[in-house]
Amino acid sequence: MNPHLPRLIELQAIDLRIAEIKHQRRLIPDRLAAARAPLHSATEALKQAGASVEALTKERRTCERDLDAQESHIEKMKARTGEIKTNKEYQAHLFEIEMANKKKGEVEEKILGLMETIEQLQREMAAAQARVREAEAAFEREQRLLDESDAALSKELAVLDEQQRGAAAAVPRDLLERYEKLKVQRKDHALASVRDGTCQGCRLQLPPQLVAEVKRSDELQVCGYCHRILYWEGELPAEAPAAAGSPHDYDDEAGESL
Ligand SMILES: [Zn+2]
């Protein structure tokens, strides 16, 4: 095996984990926003119910003032009864009082309706408040978990960055450049293992001669289809991380040729 290959395999394992960590950390703001959504809608529902209660209470107060005005109007009319002289006037006066009483009854009915609606809304508000508290607790829980996860990932990333520098320093500059270029072209996978005569990067069958070379030769071999640097699976040196294999699926690359 080429002496630089174990270093490259190690480097790729580190780089893949770094990429995975960065991906996970990028997802955190969206996960946080998703966790906040139920709290937001519960708070909005509570706010709306509160605004309705406020508006209806205001309307109820207006109605109560109307009722007071109507009652004193009726009282005044009744007080004038003694001043009435003719029967015709008296009939008209009674009719006026009757109309005023009718109007008073309507206002009273409206107040009762408003009171019922307000009570109903207040019950809804209590339920909405409970939902807000629940959503708040759930959000805080999720936020704490995400914060912890982010802190752990950030810590791991710092260690990996250090390891990455060490691993990269152990690879000759020209080979490192080749690796970096392939890494960009091949979605972080510059290296591919050979298993069952197949390149595990592009899943294409390799010529038996090339497979034999990968297994035996000290020269670096590349896949003729995806151009990844090949290494023999199962002959990895003990110190190379076991995670050198690809965690991603490559089926989408099958059949590609360059
Ligand atoms: Zn390939």
Side-chain angles (χ1 to χ4, degrees), residues 199 201-203 223 225-228:
C199 164
C202 64
R203 304 271 178 193
C223 171
Y225 307 108
C226 71
H227 295 223
R228 288 186 177 91

Side-chain angles (χ1 to χ4, degrees), residues 208-228:
Q209 177 68 20
L210 179 59
V211 175
E213 291 284 307
V214 171
K215 195 173 175 183
R216 213 175 37 224
S217 165
D218 265 2
E219 294 296 310
L220 284 177
Q221 307 294 336
V222 297
C223 171
Y225 307 108
C226 71
H227 295 223
R228 288 186 177 91

